[in-house]
Short mmCIF file of all heavy atoms in Angstrom, two decimals:
data_model
loop_
_atom_site.label_atom_id
_atom_site.label_comp_id
_atom_site.label_asym_id
_atom_site.label_seq_id
_atom_site.Cartn_x
_atom_site.Cartn_y
_atom_site.Cartn_z
N ALA A 148 90.63 94.46 89.60
CA ALA A 148 89.84 93.42 90.28
C ALA A 148 89.84 93.77 91.76
O ALA A 148 90.74 93.36 92.50
CB ALA A 148 90.44 92.05 90.04
N LYS A 149 88.86 94.53 92.19
CA LYS A 149 88.84 94.98 93.58
C LYS A 149 87.90 94.09 94.40
O LYS A 149 86.74 93.90 94.06
CB LYS A 149 88.41 96.44 93.69
CG LYS A 149 88.64 97.01 95.09
CD LYS A 149 88.73 98.52 95.12
CE LYS A 149 89.16 99.00 96.51
NZ LYS A 149 89.32 100.45 96.61
N TYR A 150 88.45 93.56 95.49
CA TYR A 150 87.75 92.61 96.34
C TYR A 150 87.39 93.24 97.69
O TYR A 150 88.02 94.20 98.13
CB TYR A 150 88.62 91.39 96.61
CG TYR A 150 88.83 90.47 95.43
CD1 TYR A 150 89.84 90.71 94.50
CD2 TYR A 150 88.03 89.34 95.25
CE1 TYR A 150 90.05 89.86 93.43
CE2 TYR A 150 88.23 88.48 94.18
CZ TYR A 150 89.24 88.74 93.27
OH TYR A 150 89.44 87.89 92.21
N PHE A 151 86.42 92.64 98.35
CA PHE A 151 86.15 92.97 99.75
C PHE A 151 87.06 92.15 100.67
O PHE A 151 87.57 92.67 101.65
CB PHE A 151 84.68 92.71 100.10
CG PHE A 151 83.74 93.71 99.48
CD1 PHE A 151 82.96 93.37 98.39
CD2 PHE A 151 83.64 95.00 99.98
CE1 PHE A 151 82.10 94.29 97.81
CE2 PHE A 151 82.78 95.94 99.41
CZ PHE A 151 82.01 95.57 98.32
N ALA A 152 87.24 90.89 100.36
CA ALA A 152 88.03 89.99 101.22
C ALA A 152 89.50 90.11 100.88
O ALA A 152 89.94 89.73 99.79
CB ALA A 152 87.56 88.55 101.05
N ASN A 153 90.30 90.63 101.80
CA ASN A 153 91.72 90.82 101.54
C ASN A 153 92.45 89.50 101.36
O ASN A 153 93.37 89.39 100.55
CB ASN A 153 92.36 91.63 102.67
CG ASN A 153 93.80 91.98 102.37
OD1 ASN A 153 94.10 92.54 101.31
ND2 ASN A 153 94.71 91.66 103.27
N SER A 154 92.08 88.48 102.12
CA SER A 154 92.76 87.19 102.01
C SER A 154 92.58 86.59 100.62
O SER A 154 93.51 86.02 100.04
CB SER A 154 92.24 86.22 103.07
OG SER A 154 90.84 86.05 102.95
N VAL A 155 91.38 86.74 100.07
CA VAL A 155 91.12 86.26 98.72
C VAL A 155 91.96 87.04 97.72
O VAL A 155 92.58 86.49 96.82
CB VAL A 155 89.62 86.38 98.37
CG1 VAL A 155 89.37 86.02 96.91
CG2 VAL A 155 88.80 85.48 99.29
N ARG A 156 91.99 88.33 97.90
CA ARG A 156 92.73 89.21 96.99
C ARG A 156 94.21 88.85 96.94
O ARG A 156 94.82 88.75 95.87
CB ARG A 156 92.52 90.65 97.44
CG ARG A 156 93.47 91.66 96.83
CD ARG A 156 94.47 92.16 97.84
NE ARG A 156 95.16 93.34 97.36
CZ ARG A 156 95.96 94.07 98.10
NH1 ARG A 156 96.13 93.76 99.38
NH2 ARG A 156 96.56 95.13 97.61
N GLU A 157 94.83 88.62 98.11
CA GLU A 157 96.25 88.29 98.16
C GLU A 157 96.54 86.96 97.48
O GLU A 157 97.51 86.81 96.74
CB GLU A 157 96.74 88.28 99.60
CG GLU A 157 96.81 89.68 100.22
CD GLU A 157 97.29 89.65 101.66
OE1 GLU A 157 97.20 88.57 102.29
OE2 GLU A 157 97.75 90.69 102.14
N ALA A 158 95.69 85.97 97.76
CA ALA A 158 95.88 84.65 97.16
C ALA A 158 95.74 84.72 95.65
O ALA A 158 96.52 84.11 94.90
CB ALA A 158 94.88 83.66 97.75
N VAL A 159 94.75 85.48 95.17
CA VAL A 159 94.52 85.62 93.74
C VAL A 159 95.71 86.29 93.07
O VAL A 159 96.19 85.86 92.01
CB VAL A 159 93.23 86.43 93.47
CG1 VAL A 159 93.15 86.89 92.02
CG2 VAL A 159 92.01 85.60 93.83
N LEU A 160 96.23 87.34 93.68
CA LEU A 160 97.34 88.08 93.09
C LEU A 160 98.57 87.20 92.91
O LEU A 160 99.19 87.16 91.84
CB LEU A 160 97.68 89.29 93.97
CG LEU A 160 98.83 90.18 93.52
CD1 LEU A 160 98.62 90.68 92.10
CD2 LEU A 160 98.98 91.36 94.48
N LEU A 161 98.94 86.44 93.94
CA LEU A 161 100.12 85.59 93.85
C LEU A 161 99.89 84.41 92.92
O LEU A 161 100.81 83.98 92.21
CB LEU A 161 100.51 85.10 95.25
CG LEU A 161 101.03 86.19 96.19
CD1 LEU A 161 101.23 85.65 97.60
CD2 LEU A 161 102.34 86.79 95.67
N ASP A 162 98.68 83.91 92.88
CA ASP A 162 98.39 82.76 92.03
C ASP A 162 98.45 83.11 90.56
O ASP A 162 98.82 82.27 89.73
CB ASP A 162 97.01 82.20 92.39
CG ASP A 162 96.65 80.98 91.56
OD1 ASP A 162 97.38 79.96 91.66
OD2 ASP A 162 95.67 81.04 90.80
N ARG A 163 98.06 84.34 90.21
CA ARG A 163 97.99 84.71 88.80
C ARG A 163 99.32 85.16 88.21
O ARG A 163 99.45 85.27 87.00
CB ARG A 163 96.95 85.83 88.60
CG ARG A 163 95.52 85.46 88.98
CD ARG A 163 95.02 84.23 88.24
NE ARG A 163 93.59 84.04 88.41
CZ ARG A 163 93.02 83.38 89.41
NH1 ARG A 163 93.79 82.82 90.34
NH2 ARG A 163 91.72 83.24 89.49
N THR A 164 100.30 85.44 89.04
CA THR A 164 101.58 85.97 88.54
C THR A 164 102.54 84.81 88.26
O THR A 164 103.55 84.63 88.94
CB THR A 164 102.20 86.95 89.55
OG1 THR A 164 102.20 86.36 90.86
CG2 THR A 164 101.37 88.23 89.61
N ARG A 165 102.21 84.04 87.23
CA ARG A 165 103.00 82.85 86.91
C ARG A 165 104.35 83.21 86.29
O ARG A 165 105.24 82.36 86.21
CB ARG A 165 102.23 81.94 85.95
CG ARG A 165 100.87 81.49 86.44
CD ARG A 165 100.93 80.91 87.84
NE ARG A 165 101.92 79.87 87.97
CZ ARG A 165 102.55 79.57 89.10
NH1 ARG A 165 102.29 80.27 90.19
NH2 ARG A 165 103.44 78.61 89.14
N GLY A 166 104.54 84.43 85.85
CA GLY A 166 105.83 84.86 85.32
C GLY A 166 106.79 85.28 86.42
O GLY A 166 107.94 85.64 86.13
N GLY A 167 106.33 85.23 87.66
CA GLY A 167 107.19 85.58 88.79
C GLY A 167 106.74 86.84 89.49
O GLY A 167 105.82 87.54 89.04
N VAL A 168 107.40 87.12 90.61
CA VAL A 168 107.08 88.30 91.40
C VAL A 168 108.37 89.02 91.75
O VAL A 168 109.37 88.40 92.16
CB VAL A 168 106.34 87.93 92.70
CG1 VAL A 168 106.00 89.19 93.49
CG2 VAL A 168 105.07 87.14 92.40
N VAL A 169 108.37 90.33 91.58
CA VAL A 169 109.48 91.19 92.00
C VAL A 169 109.05 91.91 93.27
O VAL A 169 107.98 92.52 93.31
CB VAL A 169 109.83 92.21 90.90
CG1 VAL A 169 110.98 93.11 91.37
CG2 VAL A 169 110.20 91.51 89.60
N PHE A 170 109.88 91.82 94.31
CA PHE A 170 109.56 92.43 95.59
C PHE A 170 110.46 93.64 95.83
O PHE A 170 111.67 93.52 96.01
CB PHE A 170 109.75 91.42 96.73
CG PHE A 170 108.83 90.23 96.63
CD1 PHE A 170 109.23 89.07 95.98
CD2 PHE A 170 107.56 90.28 97.17
CE1 PHE A 170 108.38 87.98 95.88
CE2 PHE A 170 106.70 89.19 97.08
CZ PHE A 170 107.11 88.04 96.43
N MET A 171 109.85 94.82 95.79
CA MET A 171 110.55 96.04 96.12
C MET A 171 110.57 96.21 97.64
O MET A 171 109.82 95.55 98.36
CB MET A 171 109.84 97.23 95.46
CG MET A 171 109.84 97.19 93.95
SD MET A 171 111.50 97.28 93.22
CE MET A 171 111.90 99.02 93.54
N PRO A 172 111.42 97.09 98.16
CA PRO A 172 111.43 97.32 99.61
C PRO A 172 110.04 97.71 100.11
O PRO A 172 109.35 98.53 99.53
CB PRO A 172 112.43 98.47 99.77
CG PRO A 172 113.38 98.29 98.62
CD PRO A 172 112.52 97.83 97.49
N GLY A 173 109.64 97.09 101.19
CA GLY A 173 108.33 97.35 101.78
C GLY A 173 108.36 96.97 103.25
O GLY A 173 109.41 96.62 103.80
N ALA A 174 107.20 97.02 103.87
CA ALA A 174 107.13 96.73 105.31
C ALA A 174 106.43 95.39 105.53
O ALA A 174 106.63 94.44 104.78
CB ALA A 174 106.42 97.87 106.03
N ALA A 175 105.60 95.32 106.57
CA ALA A 175 105.01 94.04 106.99
C ALA A 175 104.23 93.36 105.87
O ALA A 175 104.31 92.14 105.69
CB ALA A 175 104.12 94.27 108.20
N GLY A 176 103.45 94.16 105.11
CA GLY A 176 102.64 93.56 104.06
C GLY A 176 103.49 92.90 102.99
O GLY A 176 103.17 91.81 102.51
N THR A 177 104.59 93.55 102.61
CA THR A 177 105.47 92.99 101.58
C THR A 177 106.18 91.74 102.09
O THR A 177 106.33 90.76 101.36
CB THR A 177 106.50 94.04 101.12
OG1 THR A 177 105.81 95.24 100.74
CG2 THR A 177 107.30 93.53 99.94
N VAL A 178 106.60 91.77 103.36
CA VAL A 178 107.24 90.59 103.95
C VAL A 178 106.26 89.41 103.97
O VAL A 178 106.62 88.27 103.65
CB VAL A 178 107.74 90.89 105.38
CG1 VAL A 178 108.24 89.62 106.06
CG2 VAL A 178 108.86 91.93 105.33
N GLN A 179 105.02 89.70 104.33
CA GLN A 179 104.00 88.64 104.31
C GLN A 179 103.85 88.06 102.91
O GLN A 179 103.75 86.84 102.73
CB GLN A 179 102.67 89.20 104.79
CG GLN A 179 101.52 88.18 104.71
CD GLN A 179 100.17 88.79 105.05
OE1 GLN A 179 100.10 89.84 105.68
NE2 GLN A 179 99.10 88.15 104.64
N GLU A 180 103.84 88.93 101.89
CA GLU A 180 103.68 88.47 100.51
C GLU A 180 104.87 87.63 100.08
O GLU A 180 104.71 86.65 99.34
CB GLU A 180 103.47 89.67 99.59
CG GLU A 180 102.11 90.34 99.78
CD GLU A 180 102.04 91.75 99.26
OE1 GLU A 180 103.11 92.33 98.93
OE2 GLU A 180 100.93 92.30 99.19
N ILE A 181 106.08 88.00 100.52
CA ILE A 181 107.26 87.22 100.17
C ILE A 181 107.10 85.78 100.63
O ILE A 181 107.31 84.82 99.87
CB ILE A 181 108.54 87.84 100.78
CG1 ILE A 181 108.90 89.14 100.06
CG2 ILE A 181 109.71 86.86 100.72
CD1 ILE A 181 110.06 89.90 100.69
N PHE A 182 106.71 85.61 101.90
CA PHE A 182 106.68 84.25 102.43
C PHE A 182 105.39 83.51 102.09
O PHE A 182 105.37 82.28 102.10
CB PHE A 182 106.97 84.29 103.93
CG PHE A 182 108.40 84.65 104.19
CD1 PHE A 182 108.75 85.90 104.66
CD2 PHE A 182 109.41 83.74 103.90
CE1 PHE A 182 110.07 86.25 104.85
CE2 PHE A 182 110.74 84.08 104.08
CZ PHE A 182 111.08 85.33 104.57
#
């Protein structure tokens, strides 16, 4: 599911993962996704 709008893409990704999210080591983008 490839989007043009990154904000929509991030919201969709987190909203659909109802079984949870595993966060591997990452930088600013991963920290943003955590919070």
